[in-house]
Amino acid sequence: MYGSRGAGAFAGRRMSAVVLGAALLVTGCSSSDGGDGTDKDADAGAGITQQPKEKAPFWVNPDGTAARQVAALEKSGKKQEAEQIRKIAEQPVAEWVVPDDPQDQVRGFTEAADKAGRTALLVLYNVPHRDCGQYSQGGAADGNAYRDWIDGVAAGIGDRPATIVLEPDALLHLVDGCTPEQFHEERYDLLKGAVGKLKSLKNTKVYLDAGNAGWQKPDQIFESLNRAGIARADGFSVNVSNFYSTEDSIAYGKQLSAKVGGKHFVIDTSRNGKGPYSDGKPDERWCNPPGRSLGETPTTKTADPLVDAYLWVKRPGESDGECKGGPKAGQWWADYALKLAKATA
């Protein structure tokens, strides 16, 4: 609801991440700085390398969906389109951990990232009763299943570096009444438990999701953040899968930070280059809006000391849901990806 996530792509990304990680290690996607801070080792397809570590310490998956799209376009002779999609493929984007085999998946991602001298960026989006029956409905079968899943994620991370965005929408759907009352206490307990488990790891940062600048006011969400364990988390995330400007997101985040002990936050800038869409049905403006563009590229060099990073949490080019001609939520939509890239300077 309001901002469909990566859940619809779960089936398409069920290939074992441990296999992916092993393949990346074998093909040598390790960091080999080329003097300018950019890794020179390339994968076998699109030649995707890591970003300079001082700019963006997060891992670029050289075999991600966008990278495979670049390789396919180059192979078919569509060089100009390939270069447009490369704008997406060469940036670190979040890996949305799918429900099956979390330990193997996460181990694959974190091992590949660690080998490259980078930090894995992960999204955990599997809380029970997720998305209130909307495009990305689903989640773990019950609380115990979710706790087991979190345990698997933690085991897959181990001592390797990871930055986690925890459960987009989960708190906001408690605040707006979308999630039935009988599930509220359990959700708070699950989120607080997840924060505690993940923060017990040696090198893991955790950001609880806290909506966006156009959705809720800080005084409607800060108590929920406190109940969900924000005190132990590194901070919160804003604008996940949405389009609000970085300026507006900073203002919203700073207001909220002041209410939760000065916690830092991260902003999803993946598609906010032209701000939110203002036409069409108000309740679907977030869903595959036309005329948008990529936002600031991922970096830890931000405009405010409270902002730890600009991240690409939503994977640009993946659909928000079956609206405006789009495929299921999370599925790659080549035409939309191309339009995002072309609209970006």
Side-chain angles (χ1 to χ4, degrees), residues 199 204-207 230 232-236 263-265 308:
K199 284 305 298 175
T204 299
K205 292 185 176 181
V206 180
Y207 295 88
I230 190 66
R232 191 169 181 186
D234 293 273
F236 55 92
K263 285 290 184 178
H264 288 210
F265 57 100
D308 285 346

Side-chain angles (χ1 to χ4, degrees), residues 152-166:
V153 170
I157 294 172
D159 289 342
R160 290 177 291 276
T163 293
I164 292 173
V165 173
L166 182 61

Side-chain angles (χ1 to χ4, degrees), residues 71-198:
L73 289 168
E74 289 179 341
K75 186 175 181 180
S76 63
K78 298 178 179 179
K79 302 295 185 182
Q80 291 184 340
E81 291 186 7
E83 286 309 301
Q84 291 295 333
I85 299 299
R86 187 176 291 277
K87 294 177 183 178
I88 299 172
E90 68 185 6
Q91 298 299 330
V93 298
E95 301 291 346
W96 294 64
V97 180
V98 308
D100 294 342
D101 301 320
Q103 183 171 341
D104 284 350
Q105 287 176 67
V106 171
R107 181 184 292 116
F109 292 137
T110 55
E111 284 182 349
D114 193 41
K115 182 69 174 179
R118 301 299 192 273
T119 296
L121 176 60
L122 308 173
V123 182
L124 305 188
Y125 186 53
N126 195 37
V127 74
H129 318 292
R130 185 186 66 204
D131 205 35
C132 306
Q134 302 299 310
Y135 290 122
S136 293
Q137 62 182 296
D142 54 34
N144 287 333
Y146 185 76
R147 293 182 185 95
D148 289 344
W149 187 76
I150 290 292
D151 286 346
V153 170
I157 294 172
D159 289 342
R160 290 177 291 276
T163 293
I164 292 173
V165 173
L166 182 61
E167 297 298 341
D169 294 352
L171 289 178
L172 268 296
H173 282 324
L174 299 182
V175 174
D176 67 11
C178 178
T179 300
E181 180 70 30
Q182 66 262 35
F183 303 129
H184 286 204
E185 289 303 318
E186 178 187 61
R187 181 166 295 182
Y188 284 125
D189 181 67
L190 293 176
L191 292 174
K192 189 172 184 178
V195 171
K197 181 72 176 183
L198 296 166

